[in-house]
Amino acid sequence: MTDYLQHLLSGQSGGEAEGENAFLRWRERGEGIIELTPAGDAADDMLVVSAGIHGNETAPAEILNQILGGLLAGERPLASRLLVIFGNPAALRAGTRFTAYDLNRLFSSGWKTIAPCYESRRASQLELVLQQFFASGTAGARCWHLDLHTAIRGSLYQKFGVLPVNSEPWQENFIDWLNCAGAEALVFHRSPGGTFSHFSCNSLSAQSCTLELGKALPFGKNQLSDFEQTRDALMALICGDCPLPARPVKPAVRFRVAQQITRLSDEFCLHMSDSTLNFTQFPAGTLLAEDGEQQYLVDNAGGERVLFPNPRVAAGLRAGLMLVEEN
Ligand SMILES: [Zn+2]
C-alpha cells in the first residue's frame, strides 16, 4: 500500500493492516492512524505528525501522504519512531471542516462535555493512541508532535506556528526546526485550549505545535510546491537522509495571545469583514466585536493583531484571537 490517503478516502481502511520492508515495520492503530517503527537498532526519538484534523485542510494531508508513501514503499529510511495521523477521516471524505463538531476544540477531555458524536469519539481515540505511543518510548527520549493545518483565511504571514501554553521553556532545537520549516511567525498561547497540540504538550509533555501552512483548498487544487520547505524539513526529521532546509536569515516574529474573542450568543457580531487577513493590525481602542452587553476592544496601547477571526462558530467557542508582538 503506497497511497494510504486514497485508501482512507475510499472508505476501505479497516484500521488493522500491517506490513514491513527493509527499513521499517508499520501497523495501523485505527482508521487513519499508522505507527511506523525503524528496523534494526531501536530509535529513541518519538514523533507524531498529524494532518486533516480539519477535513477541508487537504494540502497537509497530501504532503504527509507523500512522505508516508515513500516510507511504506521502502524508498526511504526511517530515523525515528513515527505515528502518522489523518485526524478526521469522515470530514476528509466529506470535504468539510468537521461532521458534527470541531475536533480541534475537543481534546484534553473536552469530548466528555458534549453530546456523543463522531468527533467526540475520535478525540477520545486519538488521545488514547497518543498516550500509548509516547508511553512506549524510552525515558528522556525526544517527543515531538507536529499538527499540520491550513487556515480558512489569507494571512500576512503565510506559514506560522501556534504553540500551546507550556509550563516548561520550549526546547531550542524545536523552535529552531520550526524556523527551518518556514514558519514566519510563532504565536504563543497563554491559556489552555481544546486543541490536539495543547493535549500532547500539556498531558504528554511533548514539544507540540499547530503548524499553519497556507490557505485551505479542496483536494487537487493545492500547489504542493508552496509547501516544499516544510515538506523538506519534515523529511529531514522523519527520514534523516535529507538535509534540513537552511535556517532563515530573519527568525520567526513572536507573538503572544493577548485576549480571546468568544461567541457567547446569537447576538454576537464580529466587526471585521470576511476578507480580513490573519495578523491584520487594529489600533488601541478599536471595537472588535459585540455580544449583547459584552464588548471586545483593543486594550494594548500599541495595537493588537487578529488571528483566526470566524464569527460562524458555535456559542462558547473562539471567534478570534488577539495578538501582541513580543520583543
Ligand atoms: Zn485547521
Side-chain angles (χ1 to χ4, degrees):
M1 178 162 41
T2 53
D3 194 338
Y4 182 76
L5 183 59
Q6 200 47 50
H7 178 67
L8 185 69
L9 292 176
S10 70
Q12 289 163 1
S13 159
E16 289 173 350
E18 57 186 326
E20 62 183 320
N21 59 48
F23 292 121
L24 57 90
R25 27 176 230 287
W26 62 270
R27 183 158 78 94
E28 238 185 338
R29 300 287 310 272
E31 193 186 24
I33 307 168
I34 300 190
E35 182 174 349
L36 300 98
T37 309
D41 287 340
D44 281 340
D45 291 349
M46 312 281 290
L47 178 63
V48 177
V49 186
S50 51
I53 286 287
H54 292 133
N56 61 329
E57 299 173 4
T58 56
E62 289 181 279
I63 294 163
L64 185 55
N65 189 49
Q66 269 185 5
I67 299 174
L68 178 64
L71 290 168
L72 295 182
E75 290 164 5
R76 294 190 163 276
L78 177 64
S80 50
R81 292 190 52 195
L82 173 67
L83 192 65
V84 169
I85 295 176
F86 296 95
N88 193 331
L92 279 163
R93 281 193 282 270
T96 54
R97 188 170 167 85
F98 52 83
T99 66
Y101 204 95
D102 189 335
L103 178 57
N104 215 22
R105 304 288 175 273
L106 292 179
F107 290 94
S108 304
S109 297
W111 54 271
K112 290 177 185 164
T113 65
I114 64 161
C117 63
Y118 178 80
E119 276 85 9
S120 68
R121 288 188 293 275
R122 186 65 173 170
S124 150
Q125 180 190 22
L126 293 179
E127 284 188 2
L128 189 64
V129 167
L130 243 66
Q131 222 160 28
Q132 291 170 342
F133 178 68
F134 282 130
S136 69
T138 320
R142 181 164 86 171
C143 296
W144 286 15
H145 174 208
L146 302 162
D147 187 31
L148 312 180
H149 288 249
T150 45
I152 300 168
R153 306 205 166 217
S155 180
L156 294 176
Y157 298 103
Q158 282 307 309
K159 294 187 176 59
F160 56 94
V162 182
L163 293 94
V165 63
N166 187 354
S167 54
E168 304 287 321
W170 290 98
Q171 288 169 12
E172 222 166 279
N173 60 357
F174 185 66
I175 300 295
D176 208 40
W177 183 89
L178 292 172
N179 272 291
C180 296
E184 299 153 55
L186 295 178
V187 176
F188 294 87
H189 269 290
R190 287 289 180 265
S191 52
T195 62
F196 202 12
S197 60
H198 177 86
F199 168 74
S200 56
C201 177
N202 287 273
S203 295
L204 306 175
S205 305
Q207 299 285 297
S208 311
C209 182
T210 305
L211 201 47
E212 299 281 350
L213 300 176
K215 202 162 184 290
L217 295 170
F219 278 120
K221 299 272 192 275
N222 297 302
Q223 278 288 358
L224 291 187
S225 55
D226 294 348
F227 304 94
E228 248 165 42
Q229 189 177 352
T230 310
R231 190 203 58 204
D232 290 353
L234 283 168
M235 301 232 321
L237 199 59
I238 293 171
C239 309
D241 70 338
C242 32
L244 190 62
R247 193 170 291 116
V249 182
K250 225 173 108 232
V253 187
R254 291 177 180 228
F255 297 94
R256 68 182 153 82
V257 176
Q259 59 170 321
Q260 172 170 312
I261 300 171
T262 305
R263 183 188 177 112
L264 302 169
S265 72
D266 286 346
E267 287 180 73
F268 182 80
C269 178
L270 183 68
H271 298 303
M272 293 174 203
S273 84
D274 279 349
S275 57
T276 301
L277 299 175
N278 279 329
F279 296 98
T280 297
Q281 169 109 9
F282 293 90
T286 305
L287 178 63
L288 300 162
E290 286 173 280
D291 203 337
E293 299 287 287
Q294 168 90 39
Q295 290 193 325
Y296 293 95
L297 296 157
V298 173
D299 277 340
N300 191 276
E304 294 173 11
R305 289 171 185 258
V306 72
L307 186 62
F308 306 135
N310 182 10
R312 288 171 286 279
V313 293
L317 289 189
R318 177 187 86 193
L321 292 173
M322 299 307 297
L323 314 178
V324 172
E325 189 169 337
E326 296 213 306
N327 297 308

